[in-house]
Amino acid sequence: MTVTLDELNRMSPADFTAVVGDTFELAPWVAEAAAARRPFVTVTALHEAMMGALRAASRERQLEFLRGHPDLAGKAARAGAMTDESGREQASAGLDSLGEEEFARFHRLNEAYRAKFGFPFMICVRRHTRDSILAQFERRLGNAAATEFASAVQEVFYITRLRIAAKVAGEGMPLVSGRLSTHVLDTHAGRPAVGVAIELFEFAGERAHLVAAAVTNADGRTDKPLIADRPLPIGRYELRFAVGNHFRSRGIDSGNPPFLDIVPLRFSVAEPEGHYHVPLLCTPWSYATYRGS
Amino acid sequence: MTVTLDELNRMSPADFTAVVGDTFELAPWVAEAAAARRPFVTVTALHEAMMGALRAASRERQLEFLRGHPDLAGKAARAGAMTDESGREQASAGLDSLGEEEFARFHRLNEAYRAKFGFPFMICVRRHTRDSILAQFERRLGNAAATEFASAVQEVFYITRLRIAAKVAGEGMPLVSGRLSTHVLDTHAGRPAVGVAIELFEFAGERAHLVAAAVTNADGRTDKPLIADRPLPIGRYELRFAVGNHFRSRGIDSGNPPFLDIVPLRFSVAEPEGHYHVPLLCTPWSYATYRGS
Amino acid sequence: MTVTLDELNRMSPADFTAVVGDTFELAPWVAEAAAARRPFVTVTALHEAMMGALRAASRERQLEFLRGHPDLAGKAARAGAMTDESGREQASAGLDSLGEEEFARFHRLNEAYRAKFGFPFMICVRRHTRDSILAQFERRLGNAAATEFASAVQEVFYITRLRIAAKVAGEGMPLVSGRLSTHVLDTHAGRPAVGVAIELFEFAGERAHLVAAAVTNADGRTDKPLIADRPLPIGRYELRFAVGNHFRSRGIDSGNPPFLDIVPLRFSVAEPEGHYHVPLLCTPWSYATYRGS
Amino acid sequence: MTVTLDELNRMSPADFTAVVGDTFELAPWVAEAAAARRPFVTVTALHEAMMGALRAASRERQLEFLRGHPDLAGKAARAGAMTDESGREQASAGLDSLGEEEFARFHRLNEAYRAKFGFPFMICVRRHTRDSILAQFERRLGNAAATEFASAVQEVFYITRLRIAAKVAGEGMPLVSGRLSTHVLDTHAGRPAVGVAIELFEFAGERAHLVAAAVTNADGRTDKPLIADRPLPIGRYELRFAVGNHFRSRGIDSGNPPFLDIVPLRFSVAEPEGHYHVPLLCTPWSYATYRGS
């Protein structure tokens, strides 16, 4: 599935375009232009060359490119009439399974956006939760045309950077992944808290849905990060730690019901490629958290 | 409405019984017995004398007394066929407005309890949330008869202590109230956090309903405790602090969305007459809480 | 010893000057001018009227007034040849008991200051530790003449405000006192830590000398603030809490020697009339502090 | 200098004894006995075999072995008349450079100990600070003879385990090293605190002497642990963090002098082979620490 940067550097222009030509939606001309700039020393340089080709194109061609994208959560999404990559991307934020009301809301936003700007709303869905997509949609609808055109190109940058990183292996990979990790310290015992069940929820409006679950190991950490190897979707989250069970298993009486049982830590992610370490320091009667490193 | 201990000490036995005779549900003989033990130096001593009369009565009379109580969330509650005090008490935990499913659950518990013990389930409703009542009901259903009889009498103690405290004023009042308070310190600024909106929710199963709301004053406290002058119902609670707005109003950028917005502190109350001080120490990137004093 | 504002308002001008004439060192004319502005509604207004008289005086008279003050830690201090008030003030920061080296240092500073500005260095000693006095002395020696003249008058304001507050009782007392308090919470037990020995040290260079000691009461607080009813001298402090003994008395094993024994909290005071609440939240394995309220 | 376990397993008995015979002070017979138990799968097994030989020896021979050791901080130490290993070990806790008073104190303890038990005081000096050695000396002087004999053998275990670990390389090394690390988080900025100067002091009585210094790197950690690759001497320590400079460099005003300048964290080590992670979470107005992992 993936190709190496070396292989890409040595391919014929036609083969090069065949392999990475779908990175920019329905716009193989971007890859064709980049083919002439080879060899690339890093995967990041390959991506920048493709973005350079897009930026160097005429405004007309750029608009045509933007117009080649499907609506977000639009009829194409429902009908499955999108490219595979667009389909997978929209599914990542649950845009393929909206209720009628949300579908209608997206429909109204799409209509208003196209009417104002003349192309569909571009957003790198994998970097956002559904809430964040809606917030961005409404905010950007208020932009001036030039500002919004730049925003759309910036989102193309994020979308295609992820596509290139998934398709090409080699030196100088672009940074496309964030990391969400935690750590539970039992400051009553002065030791890591072992065997604590942890759940990670993502908010969509007032509803929270489970996105990861783990149990702390001997060092009070989870064996792998709660989220890794992909962008952290911008949005609101809640970590829930079953500390009541932990202290009960240590034989500590902190009342009935215990003062602390499920401890929720609610926080937001604003940097999809950042590292969010959100630990819990806990006794049966107190706790603390912070954005750590 | 209230009477002083001095007045009670000086009344004729008949007047005394007329005034405090309904403290023990449908059992004016308890007050009659206590009337002969006057004068009382403290309101607590008055209550203890009444409890003493109950404890000194024959088992038959005690059972008759217990049987004089209405079912919890039973048909009498629905039909309004209870004494006024019982009615107000059951309403305090929302037992007068159960859904069909919960009503049926209480009905089954009442039937099973009466079948096993021969008297209705006694619990001082004002000291419990609905969740806690159900938990106690199911736990006590498993008790041996002698244990449960003692539990029932202990609940009568709590119920009548509250009734006496509401009716009689004087020296040596029994301790019937708890207190829930909070405090918000902005450890980023080294000052109390002023103007922070706080909401207190009580859990019933997975649903949380608002029971108090306040805004912090110049000292980072609420002008009065979130709960005071009554027992703190045993159960699960969540305090929610709008710290995102606070730091935004101070002009601090902590990302978009901000790392912390609504901070929830989830804890349980196990001592209805205790003082729970649950403060928040907060920066835009960290927070801590503890059971304070 | 103290006089009421009412009495001052009703006195003859001569008596008024006899009573408060020494507030401004060797300058009864300040009181004489203020006497004509009576009656005063607040003690603060009385003090402001006196400051107004000083500020309205000719530069020559002001300089004469400043020159009437003794050197700080100078020969007069050693020889006891100062007014009583100046003597007590200089003693408060230990300036009456300097070693030879420090005495020589003050002597050099005094000489340099007088040579540059033509009057002795003024500082409200009660608002400073020895370290802070030396730091101010060296800093202000670098001031321009006009800036330093204003600084000297500001210090006269502080000195005389304290003198008036000590001498006159009445409405609208000026704020001349700060407060240093603490609180120890045992977050391992979820309760105030009772019986914890606390010592407060003030730093002079690298040496720390004890200025207060107390033991926590049932609420984890000290029965009275560690410092109150006087300015908090600007400077560096260390609170030391004997938490090792506390946890040992609770039967908790945290190693031999215990991980935490004497916990030092080192902080500085910059606002002599402020409230510094410096609590300790502690388990055998962790602690936290903050400037609270 | 070091030899591999493989080499030791293949040597002649005489060579084996020549190489590891001085592990047990002046007692090559221990190595001779262990030579016959080869091959060893782990270095730990080699050490255990040597301890087994000591434990299997007659009480007379064991006593002779113990008596072959020099006094702690005794005349031999002063005169340099010890084996090299003993000399280096005693120097590690500063026992080669005591003042007259301390030398006299050790002399009295040595005399009393020999008089009571008939052999010199054994302690694995590398696992202790001077304070801890004195505390153990005085405590163990009160032991019953059998208890103290066992204590002495246990110390021989620690001493020789360190010697073997320093001399032999191979599989299954015994755990002889602890680790002391730290981490500074600026919870005001939500980032690691970079460039913070840290000093580690070890206490000897009331005096503290510097044992390590470092500056935090981009992750708020020190490039290497403050102590590693050796036992952590049991005793009292203080970490000092120059957080005042850190916040000043960020342009934050927290008063003059700043509320927090040098933050001291005072703690004790009780497990020489343990990991002590002692981080600092800090704002200009608050800080927290805990034994982490």
Side-chain angles (χ1 to χ4, degrees):
Chain A
M1 282 266 320
T2 59
V3 63
T4 69
L5 185 59
D6 272 2
E7 290 165 347
L8 282 176
N9 277 332
R10 290 192 310 260
M11 280 178 187
S12 71
D15 284 354
F16 178 87
T17 302
V19 170
V20 299
D22 58 353
T23 304
F24 285 66
E25 193 95 353
L26 307 177
W29 57 266
V30 171
E32 280 160 17
R37 308 286 286 275
R38 293 179 298 168
F40 298 112
V41 178
T42 63
V43 178
T44 297
L46 160 62
H47 179 241
E48 280 167 3
M50 296 178 91
M51 282 301 298
L54 176 66
R55 290 201 181 94
S58 68
R59 174 58 60 111
E60 204 164 328
R61 202 167 201 191
Q62 291 174 332
L63 278 171
E64 183 193 22
F65 163 69
L66 292 177
R67 289 182 187 128
H69 287 78
D71 274 353
L72 201 64
K75 285 180 190 152
R78 285 212 157 174
M82 294 186 298
T83 62
D84 285 357
E85 300 228 35
S86 283
R88 277 193 298 273
E89 285 160 9
Q90 297 209 11
S92 76
L95 301 185
D96 58 338
S97 59
L98 297 174
E100 281 308 315
E101 198 176 338
E102 286 167 313
F103 181 76
R105 186 171 172 198
F106 271 104
H107 184 71
R108 282 193 305 274
L109 286 164
N110 279 324
E111 294 294 303
Y113 188 96
R114 273 182 183 277
K116 177 164 182 186
F117 299 114
F119 51 86
F121 178 66
M122 306 292 303
I123 192 163
C124 180
V125 171
R126 291 193 194 274
R127 298 176 79 250
H128 292 270
T129 59
R130 197 186 305 188
D131 278 8
S132 172
I133 290 167
L134 283 166
Q136 291 299 312
F137 214 155
E138 286 174 347
R139 185 183 64 75
R140 284 169 50 189
L141 205 45
N143 275 349
T147 304
E148 183 52 23
F149 190 83
S151 295
V153 171
Q154 180 62 37
E155 293 298 324
V156 168
F157 172 87
Y158 290 133
I159 294 166
T160 56
R161 189 173 62 167
L162 270 165
R163 289 180 176 183
I164 281 292
K167 198 183 302 256
V168 185
E171 288 297 299
M173 293 295 291
L175 177 65
V176 293
S177 296
R179 188 151 50 104
L180 174 59
S181 59
T182 189
H183 188 188
V184 188
L185 278 159
D186 176 343
T187 47
H188 181 278
R191 288 194 299 268
V194 182
V196 176
I198 301 174
E199 293 180 322
L200 173 68
F201 289 81
E202 177 189 314
F203 278 95
E206 288 313 297
R207 281 171 302 129
H209 58 276
L210 188 70
V211 291
V215 171
T216 55
N217 59 24
D219 192 38
R221 301 177 195 269
T222 58
D223 286 340
K224 47 181 194 151
L226 292 162
I227 302 180
D229 302 324
R230 62 176 176 95
L232 304 179
I234 294 171
R236 293 177 303 126
Y237 295 86
E238 189 168 284
L239 278 164
R240 296 186 191 155
F241 301 82
V243 304
N245 285 345
H246 168 71
F247 288 115
R248 194 175 303 119
S249 77
R250 284 191 49 216
I252 295 166
D253 177 16
S254 64
N256 182 11
F259 183 64
L260 299 179
D261 187 13
I262 302 296
V263 166
L265 301 182
R266 200 176 295 178
F267 61 96
S268 290
V269 162
E271 306 162 29
E273 292 81 25
H275 177 201
Y276 285 76
H277 183 62
V278 185
L280 179 68
L281 312 178
C282 198
T283 78
W285 303 100
S286 65
Y287 62 90
T289 190
Y290 52 91
R291 181 169 179 190
S293 75
Chain B
M1 280 273 314
T2 59
V3 63
T4 67
L5 185 60
D6 272 2
E7 290 166 347
L8 281 177
N9 277 331
R10 288 193 311 260
M11 279 177 187
S12 71
D15 285 355
F16 178 88
T17 301
V19 171
V20 298
D22 58 354
T23 304
F24 285 66
E25 194 95 353
L26 307 178
W29 55 267
V30 170
E32 280 160 18
R37 310 286 285 273
R38 293 179 298 167
F40 298 111
V41 178
T42 64
V43 179
T44 297
L46 160 62
H47 179 241
E48 280 167 2
M50 296 178 93
M51 280 302 296
L54 177 66
R55 290 201 181 95
S58 67
R59 173 59 59 111
E60 204 164 331
R61 202 166 202 192
Q62 291 174 331
L63 278 171
E64 182 192 23
F65 164 69
L66 291 177
R67 289 184 187 127
H69 287 79
D71 273 353
L72 201 65
K75 285 179 191 153
R78 286 211 156 174
M82 293 186 298
T83 63
D84 284 358
E85 298 227 37
S86 283
R88 277 192 299 274
E89 285 160 7
Q90 296 209 11
S92 75
L95 300 186
D96 58 338
S97 59
L98 297 175
E100 279 309 315
E101 198 176 337
E102 285 167 312
F103 180 76
R105 186 171 172 196
F106 270 105
H107 185 69
R108 282 193 307 274
L109 286 164
N110 279 324
E111 294 295 302
Y113 188 95
R114 273 183 184 278
K116 177 164 182 185
F117 298 114
F119 52 85
F121 179 66
M122 306 292 304
I123 191 163
C124 179
V125 170
R126 290 194 194 274
R127 298 176 79 249
H128 292 269
T129 60
R130 198 187 304 187
D131 278 9
S132 172
I133 290 167
L134 282 166
Q136 291 299 313
F137 213 155
E138 286 174 348
R139 185 183 65 74
R140 284 170 50 190
L141 204 45
N143 275 349
T147 305
E148 183 52 24
F149 191 85
S151 295
V153 171
Q154 180 63 35
E155 293 298 324
V156 168
F157 173 87
Y158 289 134
I159 294 167
T160 55
R161 190 173 63 166
L162 270 165
R163 290 179 175 183
I164 282 291
K167 198 184 300 254
V168 185
E171 289 297 301
M173 293 296 290
L175 177 65
V176 293
S177 297
R179 187 151 51 104
L180 174 60
S181 58
T182 189
H183 189 189
V184 188
L185 278 159
D186 177 341
T187 47
H188 181 279
R191 287 194 300 267
V194 182
V196 175
I198 301 174
E199 293 180 323
L200 174 68
F201 289 81
E202 177 189 313
F203 278 96
E206 288 313 297
R207 281 171 303 129
H209 58 274
L210 187 71
V211 292
V215 171
T216 56
N217 58 24
D219 191 37
R221 300 175 196 270
T222 57
D223 286 340
K224 48 181 191 152
L226 293 162
I227 302 181
D229 301 324
R230 61 175 175 95
L232 304 179
I234 293 171
R236 292 178 303 126
Y237 295 85
E238 189 168 283
L239 279 164
R240 295 187 192 154
F241 301 81
V243 304
N245 285 346
H246 168 71
F247 289 115
R248 194 175 303 120
S249 77
R250 284 191 48 216
I252 295 166
D253 176 15
S254 64
N256 182 13
F259 183 65
L260 298 179
D261 186 13
I262 302 295
V263 166
L265 301 183
R266 198 175 295 176
F267 61 94
S268 289
V269 162
E271 306 163 29
E273 291 82 24
H275 177 202
Y276 286 75
H277 183 62
V278 184
L280 180 68
L281 312 178
C282 199
T283 79
W285 303 101
S286 64
Y287 62 90
T289 190
Y290 52 89
R291 182 170 177 188
S293 74
Chain C
M1 280 266 320
T2 60
V3 62
T4 69
L5 185 61
D6 271 2
E7 290 166 346
L8 282 176
N9 278 331
R10 289 193 309 261
M11 281 178 185
S12 71
D15 285 354
F16 177 87
T17 301
V19 171
V20 298
D22 58 354
T23 304
F24 285 66
E25 194 94 353
L26 308 177
W29 55 266
V30 171
E32 280 159 17
R37 309 286 287 275
R38 293 179 298 168
F40 299 112
V41 179
T42 63
V43 178
T44 297
L46 159 61
H47 178 240
E48 281 166 2
M50 295 177 93
M51 281 303 297
L54 176 65
R55 290 200 180 95
S58 67
R59 173 59 60 110
E60 203 163 331
R61 202 168 202 192
Q62 290 174 332
L63 277 171
E64 181 193 24
F65 163 68
L66 291 177
R67 289 183 187 127
H69 288 77
D71 274 353
L72 201 63
K75 285 181 190 152
R78 287 212 155 175
M82 295 186 297
T83 63
D84 285 357
E85 300 229 34
S86 283
R88 276 192 299 274
E89 285 159 9
Q90 297 209 11
S92 75
L95 301 184
D96 57 338
S97 58
L98 296 175
E100 280 308 315
E101 197 176 338
E102 286 167 312
F103 181 76
R105 185 171 172 198
F106 270 105
H107 184 69
R108 284 192 305 274
L109 286 164
N110 280 324
E111 295 294 302
Y113 188 95
R114 273 183 183 278
K116 176 163 182 185
F117 299 113
F119 51 86
F121 179 66
M122 306 292 303
I123 191 163
C124 180
V125 171
R126 291 193 193 275
R127 298 176 78 249
H128 292 270
T129 59
R130 198 188 303 188
D131 278 8
S132 172
I133 289 167
L134 283 166
Q136 291 299 311
F137 213 154
E138 286 173 349
R139 185 184 65 75
R140 284 169 51 191
L141 204 46
N143 275 349
T147 305
E148 183 51 25
F149 191 84
S151 295
V153 171
Q154 180 62 37
E155 292 298 324
V156 168
F157 172 86
Y158 290 133
I159 294 165
T160 55
R161 190 173 63 167
L162 270 165
R163 289 179 176 183
I164 281 291
K167 198 184 301 256
V168 185
E171 289 296 300
M173 293 295 291
L175 176 65
V176 293
S177 295
R179 187 152 50 105
L180 174 60
S181 58
T182 188
H183 189 188
V184 188
L185 277 159
D186 176 343
T187 48
H188 181 279
R191 288 194 298 267
V194 183
V196 175
I198 301 174
E199 292 180 322
L200 174 68
F201 289 81
E202 177 189 314
F203 278 96
E206 288 313 297
R207 280 171 304 127
H209 58 274
L210 187 72
V211 292
V215 172
T216 56
N217 59 23
D219 193 37
R221 301 176 196 270
T222 57
D223 286 340
K224 49 182 191 149
L226 292 162
I227 303 180
D229 301 325
R230 61 175 175 96
L232 304 180
I234 293 171
R236 294 178 301 126
Y237 294 86
E238 190 169 282
L239 278 164
R240 295 184 191 155
F241 301 81
V243 304
N245 286 346
H246 169 71
F247 288 116
R248 194 175 301 122
S249 77
R250 284 191 49 217
I252 294 167
D253 176 16
S254 65
N256 181 13
F259 184 64
L260 299 179
D261 187 14
I262 302 296
V263 166
L265 302 182
R266 199 175 296 177
F267 61 94
S268 289
V269 162
E271 305 162 31
E273 292 82 25
H275 177 199
Y276 285 77
H277 183 62
V278 184
L280 179 69
L281 312 178
C282 199
T283 78
W285 303 100
S286 64
Y287 62 90
T289 189
Y290 51 91
R291 182 170 178 188
S293 76
Chain D
M1 281 271 316
T2 59
V3 63
T4 69
L5 185 59
D6 273 1
E7 290 165 347
L8 282 177
N9 278 332
R10 288 193 310 260
M11 280 176 186
S12 70
D15 285 356
F16 178 88
T17 301
V19 172
V20 298
D22 58 353
T23 305
F24 284 66
E25 192 97 353
L26 307 177
W29 55 267
V30 170
E32 280 159 18
R37 309 286 286 273
R38 292 179 299 168
F40 298 112
V41 179
T42 63
V43 178
T44 298
L46 160 61
H47 179 242
E48 280 167 3
M50 296 178 93
M51 281 302 297
L54 176 66
R55 289 200 182 96
S58 66
R59 173 58 60 112
E60 203 164 327
R61 202 166 202 192
Q62 291 175 330
L63 278 171
E64 183 192 22
F65 163 70
L66 293 177
R67 288 183 187 129
H69 287 79
D71 274 352
L72 200 65
K75 285 179 188 152
R78 288 212 154 172
M82 293 186 296
T83 62
D84 284 358
E85 299 227 38
S86 283
R88 277 192 300 274
E89 286 160 8
Q90 297 209 11
S92 75
L95 300 186
D96 57 338
S97 58
L98 297 174
E100 279 308 316
E101 197 177 337
E102 286 167 312
F103 180 75
R105 186 172 171 197
F106 270 104
H107 184 69
R108 282 193 306 274
L109 286 164
N110 280 324
E111 294 294 304
Y113 188 94
R114 273 183 183 278
K116 177 164 181 184
F117 298 113
F119 52 87
F121 179 65
M122 307 292 303
I123 191 163
C124 179
V125 170
R126 290 195 195 274
R127 299 176 77 248
H128 291 270
T129 59
R130 197 186 304 188
D131 278 8
S132 172
I133 290 167
L134 283 166
Q136 291 299 312
F137 214 155
E138 286 174 347
R139 185 185 63 76
R140 283 170 52 190
L141 204 46
N143 275 349
T147 305
E148 183 52 24
F149 191 84
S151 295
V153 170
Q154 180 62 36
E155 293 298 324
V156 168
F157 173 87
Y158 289 133
I159 294 167
T160 55
R161 190 173 63 166
L162 270 165
R163 289 180 176 184
I164 281 292
K167 197 184 304 255
V168 185
E171 289 296 299
M173 293 296 291
L175 177 65
V176 293
S177 295
R179 188 151 51 105
L180 174 60
S181 59
T182 188
H183 188 188
V184 188
L185 278 159
D186 176 342
T187 48
H188 181 278
R191 287 193 301 267
V194 182
V196 176
I198 301 174
E199 293 179 322
L200 173 68
F201 289 82
E202 178 189 313
F203 278 96
E206 288 312 297
R207 281 170 303 128
H209 58 275
L210 187 71
V211 290
V215 171
T216 56
N217 59 25
D219 193 36
R221 302 176 196 270
T222 57
D223 286 339
K224 48 179 193 153
L226 293 162
I227 302 181
D229 301 325
R230 62 175 174 95
L232 305 179
I234 294 171
R236 293 177 303 126
Y237 295 86
E238 190 167 282
L239 279 164
R240 295 185 191 155
F241 301 81
V243 305
N245 286 346
H246 168 72
F247 289 115
R248 194 175 302 119
S249 76
R250 285 191 48 217
I252 295 166
D253 176 17
S254 63
N256 182 12
F259 183 63
L260 297 180
D261 187 12
I262 302 296
V263 166
L265 301 183
R266 199 175 296 177
F267 61 95
S268 289
V269 163
E271 305 163 30
E273 291 81 25
H275 178 200
Y276 285 75
H277 183 62
V278 184
L280 179 68
L281 311 178
C282 199
T283 79
W285 304 100
S286 64
Y287 62 90
T289 190
Y290 52 89
R291 182 169 178 189
S293 75

